[in-house]
Amino acid sequence: MATALEKTRVRIKIAGRVQGVYYRASTVQQAQSLGLTGWVMNCSDGSVEAVAEGAQTKLEALIAWCHQGPDGARVTQVDVRWETPENNFYAFSIRR
């Protein structure tokens, strides 16, 4: 695993009441405030998926936030998979 300052990548799958509660928009705001790049999207199964790249400590902060989410969300499960960074993101956005 990468050191705290090295760039790494994480894929996060969030389940529960996470669609229709501004989860994606709130995730973009959170990721941007942490200086991360990547994307977030709604999945057909009702979950939300995000891929983010940045410093491991910042990614861990995003993961911690995902367990709560915005007001109105009820998160029941957060699955995290660490990956090798691809360095192909320039911002953090909503993918449709």
Side-chain angles (χ1 to χ4, degrees):
M1 187 155 322
T3 65
L5 297 178
E6 286 180 26
K7 189 173 192 179
T8 190
R9 177 181 177 118
V10 68
R11 183 174 301 270
I12 311 166
K13 183 93 168 196
I14 306 103
R17 183 173 173 233
V18 293
Q19 290 189 13
V21 293
Y22 299 100
Y23 201 100
R24 291 178 302 159
S26 298
T27 302
V28 169
Q29 291 175 348
Q30 188 68 22
Q32 288 175 342
S33 73
L34 292 166
L36 301 173
T37 59
W39 54 262
V40 61
M41 67 180 253
N42 283 342
C43 299
S44 60
D45 65 0
S47 67
V48 169
E49 183 175 16
V51 173
E53 290 188 357
Q56 184 172 336
T57 55
K58 302 292 187 174
L59 293 171
E60 289 170 350
L62 180 65
I63 293 165
W65 179 87
C66 286
H67 282 273
Q68 182 67 37
D71 291 341
R74 286 195 210 109
V75 177
T76 58
Q77 185 173 346
V78 176
D79 294 325
V80 175
R81 188 171 78 219
W82 294 97
E83 300 178 346
T84 302
E86 296 179 7
N87 299 307
N88 56 353
F89 301 130
Y90 300 100
F92 200 96
S93 61
I94 293 174
R95 184 179 275 185
R96 300 189 192 278

